[in-house]
Amino acid sequence: MPSVSLLIMRLCLLLFFSALGLCLPAHAQTTEGELKARLLGKPLYLRGFWREDKLHFDASGQLMGKPKLLSFTLCGVDVSKVQLKNNQLILEARRIGLEFVSNSNSPKRVVLLVNDKDEETMRIVVDQPQDGDFGHALDAIFVEDLTKLVPLLPTYWQRYAHEKLLPDPAPASPDLPAKKVHGVMKAPVVVKGSEPVFSPAARNLHYTGKVLISLHVDENGKPSHLVVAKPAGLGLDEQALYAVQQYLFKPATEDGKPIVVELNIEINFQLY
């Protein structure tokens, strides 16, 4: 029978190695095989909405340089090749866009083009961490589920995202109160408009669609509180928002006095 001191020693060793195990990553990604299992065939999205197709990250997943940003509807990634080389993780990928089809509850992922036929390709490089585990860096670069992107979206996407993109819809932060136009009011009238511009991604794919923008028109006829009420995707939503921001209205009135009202404007993107 083992002595009490031996049992205590064995127990201490067991606790030591258990504690050591808790300090290790639950799903380490150190080999090419492990990285392929995580990245290949997964619906990935760039957490930072980066525009450039050549991205270099340090070992913690922080982007090097100061790239410009895009709509999240243009920041999907489809990794096609994973390689460990010269203390770096090198990813070859296609850039993926999102189309919001009217008869579907979830957006459609499509490969973006740089012209009428050539796919938009990406090269993503991540420096190797000291422990060789790329897991934390990849967590900082990608999300693997569109719902996890919702908290990162701009304010003008939050209402739609909370209602349509989350499995358990939750109300977004309410806007300031504004009246809806009804019979006894005089509705606002557009006195200065702005033509929306097609996003290159939508034009290259010959993609058309309608974007519904909800906004307030204040007592001075200026638009505010713009949000995407019904999107089209592929960067068209931001183009619609920018156009409506330039509008100027003759304000709505009630009993002859200018008032703040809520209004919906549909922007129709068509190729002629």
Side-chain angles (χ1 to χ4, degrees):
M1 177 180 294
S3 66
V4 174
S5 59
L6 183 58
L7 288 173
I8 292 175
M9 183 180 295
R10 288 178 179 175
L11 179 60
C12 290
L13 288 172
L14 178 61
L15 291 173
F16 171 77
F17 285 112
S18 297
L20 183 62
L22 290 174
C23 297
L24 297 175
H27 302 286
Q29 284 111 39
T30 59
T31 69
E32 239 179 56
E34 291 166 339
L35 291 163
K36 288 178 178 179
R38 169 167 181 172
L39 298 170
L40 293 180
K42 302 298 173 62
L44 302 175
Y45 298 91
L46 294 172
R47 186 182 289 274
F49 313 140
W50 301 292
R51 178 191 296 267
E52 280 74 9
D53 288 331
K54 292 184 178 180
L55 300 169
H56 188 177
F57 298 88
D58 66 18
S60 65
Q62 295 300 306
L63 183 64
M64 301 171 70
K66 296 180 179 179
K68 297 179 180 180
L69 304 181
L70 283 172
S71 166
F72 86 99
T73 63
L74 300 172
C75 288
V77 178
D78 180 9
V79 176
S80 56
K81 185 177 180 180
V82 176
Q83 185 179 21
L84 284 177
K85 185 178 180 181
N86 298 329
N87 296 321
Q88 290 180 324
L89 169 61
I90 302 172
L91 306 177
E92 303 293 337
R94 301 182 299 176
R95 188 179 282 270
I96 302 295
L98 295 177
E99 295 177 354
F100 287 83
V101 184
S102 58
N103 59 355
S104 175
N105 291 328
S106 58
K108 176 184 176 183
R109 287 171 61 94
V110 295
V111 179
L112 298 183
L113 304 178
V114 293
N115 48 48
D116 286 342
K117 61 180 180 179
D118 296 321
E119 295 179 350
E120 185 173 353
T121 59
M122 304 185 69
R123 179 181 172 88
I124 301 171
V125 177
V126 186
D127 294 337
Q128 182 171 317
Q130 288 187 346
D131 61 1
D133 183 5
F134 287 91
H136 296 301
L138 293 176
D139 287 341
I141 298 168
F142 300 111
V143 296
E144 299 178 9
D145 188 332
L146 193 57
T147 61
K148 296 179 181 177
L149 212 57
V150 169
L152 307 176
L153 297 181
T155 303
Y156 55 81
W157 273 109
Q158 287 298 321
R159 181 198 297 181
Y160 179 86
H162 278 77
E163 292 177 355
K164 303 296 185 181
L165 299 183
L166 294 178
D168 298 314
S173 299
D175 293 330
L176 294 175
K179 295 182 179 181
K180 293 186 177 181
V181 177
H182 58 264
V184 299
M185 296 180 184
K186 287 188 177 180
V189 177
V190 177
V191 295
K192 177 184 176 183
S194 176
E195 286 295 322
V197 178
F198 255 85
S199 64
R203 184 175 294 279
N204 290 339
L205 286 170
H206 305 284
Y207 177 70
T208 61
K210 298 177 181 179
V211 180
L212 188 66
I213 302 298
S214 177
L215 67 149
H216 292 179
V217 177
D218 69 15
E219 301 94 330
N220 298 310
K222 294 182 179 180
S224 65
H225 298 82
L226 282 74
V227 300
V228 177
K230 184 179 179 182
L234 295 189
L236 293 178
D237 314 293
E238 282 75 10
Q239 297 293 81
L241 281 164
Y242 180 76
V244 175
Q245 279 180 328
Q246 314 308 311
Y247 279 29
L248 183 62
F249 297 83
K250 180 180 179 180
T253 58
E254 186 174 31
D255 297 327
K257 297 180 180 179
I259 57 171
V260 180
V261 294
E262 184 179 346
L263 191 67
N264 290 328
I265 294 180
E266 184 178 80
I267 302 296
N268 190 5
F269 289 91
Q270 294 294 328
L271 292 169
Y272 300 102

